[in-house]
Amino acid sequence: MQGILKERVKQVFKNGTDHFDMSCDTPSTSGSVSQRACVFCGSRVVLYPIADAVHLVHGPIGCASYTWDIRGALSSGPELHRYSFSTDLKEKEVIFGGEKKLEESIVYLAKRFKPKAVFVYSTCIIGIIGDDVERVCKQATENIGIQIIPVHSEGFKGTKKDGYKAACSAIFRLIGTGKGTKPKKPSINILGEFNLAGESWIIKNYYKQMGVHIQSVMTGDSRIEAISNAHLADLNVVQCSGSMLSLAKMMEEKYNIPYTHVSYFGIEDTAAALYEVAKHFGNPEIIKNTKELVTKEISQLTAILNEYKIKLQGKKAAVYVGGAFKAFSLVKALARIGMEVVIAGSQTGNKDDYNQLPNMCRPGTIIVDDSNPLELSRFVQERDADLFVGGVKERPLAMKLGLGFCDHNHERKIPLAGFEGMKNFAQEIYISVMSPVWKFHEFRQKKQIGGQND
Amino acid sequence: MLLRHTPKEVIERNALTINPAKTCQPIGAMYAALGIHRCFPHSHGSQGCCAYHRSTLTRHYKEPIMAGTSSFTEGASVFGGQANLVQALDNIYTIYKPDIVAVHTTCLSETIGDDIPQIVSKAQESGKIPEGKYIVYASTPSYVGSHITGFANMVSGIIQGFANQSERVIENRINIIPGWVEPSDMAEIRRMMSLMRAKYIMVPDTSDVLDAPLTGRHEFYPKGGTTIKELQSLGESSMTLALGHFTSVPGAETLRRLADVPYEFQDIPIGISATDRFLMAASHATGAEISESLETERGQLVDMISDMQQYLYGKSVAIYGDPDQLIGLTEFLLDLDMHPKYIISGSAGKVFTKRINALMEKYGKEAIVKNGPQADMFYLHQLIKNEKVDLLIGNTYGKYMARDEDIPFLRYGFPILDRVGHSYFPSVGYKGAMYMLKNILDLFLDRKDRDAPEESFELVM
């Protein structure tokens, strides 16, 4: 492909034309306007929905300010996760160390907020000045009597994915510390579900109807106690491949809990996920309930989706999301409403995931890893997309180009998970792609009238 | 209650910041650099910093924000970021083709001791910076100052990169450093200056950059921003008007030092008194007369205040945010016969409390003023829990308090993540004051309509 930074040629492919061998899992090219974030960001987004813990960011103020309640993870109880706590390090601590400030902060927090636990996030600078966060946390745990858990999330020590791993390690320390008893019903932990716009509640409700007990959700609308008893579940059901797979693997090794990998996005994937769990338990009652649930939901949904399909048939979509696994579900879901994916990419997809994409996408689809605005805007214009599915940094770019947009990241305002979510997804896309605002837009106007603007 | 975990009783803290009324330096540097035409901001640090700054600016402006990062890895953090920065510059000039790259540092690159001037001169020597292209830089460690310090440092860095001592002085032409204000405010300052037919250069200027229209094209470098030609001519102006102690004086001082251009401090022209002083100063320095149309606008503002004064009298207000803005806002509220009661800024600096206290004294009122460490929104909320106010003014993060305590809330400052308009409707000048006053009155009167018992519900107000 032409016009791509030479360091990036192995991260951009045209499906069916180029020999596909994605070079992913690599650091970004310096100077590129990468849409990626850092290790700390990865840890912060994974742990943040735990609503009865204090999330203390150890470092200068910025890291805490930028991550203050930005993700829309909802809680049905405590709201501690909506606060922003920072040790707010200054030059003095950078020179003489920040341990004392950290200790004082923890003592104050424990006394005033009475959290169930405290997560202490290390930022870039902690990795450089060498504060012994592990020691401070250990001592504070002993003195205060609640778990003070260090999260080794120094920003520069890898990508966002390494931050997910650091978060998983932090959660893993909690698991097994609870004094609960094993539930009587078949039970699961839901992993990699963050309750954005209340999505965990939808998913939990499905399992409840199936007769499956939810031991914990990690981490949507979660509580420390539930997590500490997560080792008592029979099965880990993992969504969002990047963020929680490592935790599932650790739990399998230590607690012998098997895991299964699912997606709750789109009809097919949601149904497959529920059947998979039902099948795992092999309980006829659960299987019967699941069939009833899926049949009912799909029959309600089909007519609605078909209507959207008629209206959206032939429209083209660009998909650029966090992980490549999420892109699969999106490709399928968009096809369900008549749309064709012409660009599929992710910030931090892994090789296994990417290798499945060429089979799912039509020839000519651009498949890209760690892209940037210049590339993305060229691709969407080249491929004449009508819709962009992405996150906060892609939204205004898509709008400027006159494309419809759907936030499939932190800033979704309506649940997109499950059957209900598919309906919302179709509606959101319909509203955005068919919005009357585009009739005031010269470029789109020409396209709609004559179609000769290509 | 969203902030139900906030206790009423204030217990002194020495270490912890809760719900900050500030953020870190680099985002200010990025914002300042975006106010230069065809300038590409570059963050020398790990990837997250740049992603956070771009996301926050994107949420605030609803515009694509372009900036690069050195993408530090563990290796760079041990061996220094020189190789990353040199490679970044090479890539940036090749692919994004800016005229200027504005490099700012982060806590990481500062702590490991990367020497930006030295790296830059090395890049220049080895031909990494193409002919006719420029590079400017600022040191912006996150553990010093706050976002406004970063803005001021980058403005200084830009001036340092271009300012030349000049024999020639263009009489009656001035430089304006507007401070960290919105694109709409910079456009309003331009409008006022052009109504007066005054000659000026404004640096930086984010209007026509971060308020761009939808055209179907993504302009990587929108049409606005201070141009290189203007930057090179800063040293020829007769003087500089520096609007704001914190965000503008350091840049003006740099220009005085390097190019002998004297400067005059003025407040950001928020409200009637500060706008009066700004226009007088601009008129005096450029010799241009304050136009009749501006006088009319002033008269309209005074008319509006006089019409509605009974609804403003004695209303208590809590305000938080950036010091230069809060000084202007405090004076405006006092002029409106309101009572700014709690004034909080996360940004440190003694001149802030000095100015605010002087204003309060002049108007014979008292306020709790706190800035710097632990001057955060947790503390402000506790003050409000102890004694409520009639109005809350500040950035989006005030919405939790406003909801919990049921206080009318005017969004003002940075960032505003949940409303639009700040890019287009100014808060400076007489027009900006009218717009702000209208918003304040709407809040009070809507509440009155909502809360009035049926028997005293009024049609005419």
Side-chain angles (χ1 to χ4, degrees), chain B residues 50-267:
Chain B
C50 188
Y52 283 138
H53 306 146
R54 287 179 57 218
S55 295
T56 305
L57 289 166
T58 296
R59 290 185 180 107
H60 179 82
Y61 289 108
K62 308 225 180 293
E63 290 288 313
I65 304 293
M66 295 303 131
T69 162
S70 292
S71 300
F72 268 48
T73 55
E74 273 198 279
S77 308
V78 176
F79 301 112
Q82 173 163 323
N84 291 54
L85 184 52
V86 172
Q87 193 204 0
L89 290 171
D90 198 18
N91 282 330
I92 289 166
Y93 286 116
T94 308
I95 295 291
Y96 304 117
K97 299 184 175 56
D99 290 342
I100 309 169
V101 176
V103 180
H104 63 260
T105 58
T106 57
C107 48
L108 177 57
S109 56
E110 286 284 340
T111 311
I112 64 170
D114 272 2
D115 182 352
I116 304 295
Q118 184 260 327
I119 299 175
V120 165
S121 61
K122 191 149 183 181
Q124 266 157 342
E125 279 161 28
S126 56
K128 296 281 182 199
I129 295 159
E131 193 73 24
K133 303 284 182 176
Y134 299 87
I135 182 163
V136 296
Y137 48 84
S139 168
T140 54
S142 326
Y143 47 76
V144 176
S146 72
H147 56 296
I148 56 158
T149 324
F151 179 90
N153 285 344
M154 184 48 88
V155 172
S156 289
I158 292 161
I159 288 170
Q160 183 148 6
F162 288 95
N164 294 311
Q165 188 124 24
S166 169
E167 294 285 304
R168 191 168 83 114
V169 175
I170 302 172
E171 287 300 328
N172 301 335
R173 193 193 71 187
I174 62 168
N175 304 319
I176 298 176
I177 305 179
W180 184 332
V181 290
E182 297 294 349
S184 53
D185 296 321
M186 300 195 193
E188 180 61 14
I189 291 172
R190 285 204 309 202
R191 191 186 69 92
M192 291 190 285
M193 294 301 280
S194 64
L195 281 174
M196 290 167 63
R197 298 174 195 277
K199 284 189 288 183
Y200 69 99
I201 292 172
M202 185 153 68
V203 58
D205 181 1
T206 56
S207 62
D208 287 333
V209 178
L210 295 173
D211 53 358
L214 194 156
T215 58
R217 280 187 310 278
H218 171 225
E219 302 289 349
F220 205 91
Y221 302 108
K223 70 174 180 179
T226 317
T227 62
I228 289 178
K229 224 176 115 194
E230 288 176 317
L231 291 172
Q232 287 168 333
S233 179
L234 285 170
E236 297 176 323
S237 294
S238 61
M239 62 93 75
T240 302
L241 267 184
L243 307 183
H245 296 280
F246 291 85
T247 45
S248 298
V249 167
E253 176 58 32
T254 302
L255 188 63
R256 188 199 59 76
R257 188 164 46 80
L258 296 174
D260 249 348
V261 180
Y263 72 87
E264 181 183 325
F265 160 79
Q266 285 294 340
D267 284 313

Side-chain angles (χ1 to χ4, degrees), chain A residues 3-5 7 27-38 40-41 56 60-62 65-70 77-80 82-91 94 101 104-105 108-109 112-113 124-125 128-129 155-157 372-374 377 381 392-393 396-397 399-402 411 438 441 443, chain B residues 2-7 9 11-20 22-24 27 40 42 46-48 51-56 58-59 62-64 66-74 77 84 87-88 91-92 95-96 107-108 111-112 142-145 212-218 220 378 382 397 400:
Chain A
I4 306 287
L5 275 171
E7 291 84 353
S28 302
T29 305
S30 295
S32 173
V33 184
S34 170
Q35 309 293 76
R36 280 182 181 171
C38 63
F40 165 71
C41 178
L56 172 61
I61 195 67
S65 286
Y66 303 121
T67 54
W68 179 1
D69 200 19
I70 52 166
E79 300 279 1
L80 263 179
R82 285 186 188 265
Y83 284 68
S84 174
F85 300 103
S86 170
T87 51
D88 195 357
L89 294 190
K90 291 291 169 200
E91 202 157 16
V94 173
K101 216 169 176 182
E104 272 185 57
S105 299
Y108 186 94
L109 282 169
R112 294 234 80 184
F113 290 90
C124 283
I125 204 138
I128 302 294
I129 63 174
F156 61 88
K157 287 190 169 167
N372 58 62
L374 206 58
S377 54
Q381 283 176 316
V392 53
K393 292 190 283 306
L397 187 69
M399 296 287 171
K400 276 283 180 285
L401 298 169
E411 282 173 35
W438 306 125
H441 186 305
F443 168 78
Chain B
L2 287 158
L3 302 182
R4 70 186 75 144
H5 309 280
T6 300
E9 182 202 4
I11 298 178
E12 206 178 329
R13 276 171 287 150
N14 299 313
L16 181 69
T17 297
I18 309 170
N19 300 347
K22 63 172 174 182
T23 182
C24 68
I27 197 169
F40 184 83
H42 181 79
S46 51
Q47 231 163 18
Y52 283 138
H53 306 146
R54 287 179 57 218
S55 295
T56 305
T58 296
R59 290 185 180 107
K62 308 225 180 293
E63 290 288 313
M66 295 303 131
T69 162
S70 292
S71 300
F72 268 48
T73 55
E74 273 198 279
S77 308
N84 291 54
Q87 193 204 0
N91 282 330
I92 289 166
I95 295 291
Y96 304 117
C107 48
L108 177 57
T111 311
I112 64 170
S142 326
Y143 47 76
V144 176
L214 194 156
T215 58
R217 280 187 310 278
H218 171 225
F220 205 91
F378 175 72
Q382 291 183 311
Y397 288 108
Y400 307 103

Side-chain angles (χ1 to χ4, degrees), chain A residues 312-320 327 329-345 361-362 364-368 376 379-390 398 403-406 425 429 433 444 447:
Chain A
L312 291 168
Q313 192 71 44
K315 299 275 182 200
K316 295 175 194 165
V319 170
Y320 186 74
S329 293
L330 280 162
V331 172
K332 280 188 262 180
L334 287 161
R336 184 68 188 71
I337 49 172
M339 294 183 74
E340 182 195 342
V341 172
V342 290
I343 297 151
C361 298
R362 290 195 199 185
T365 303
I366 293 166
I367 301 176
V368 59
L376 289 173
F379 297 155
V380 297
Q381 283 176 316
E382 225 171 73
R383 301 307 321 278
D384 194 21
D386 301 285
L387 171 79
F388 201 113
V389 183
L403 270 64
F405 188 83
C406 169
F425 179 70
I429 284 175
V433 171
R444 291 277 293 253
K447 199 168 126 181

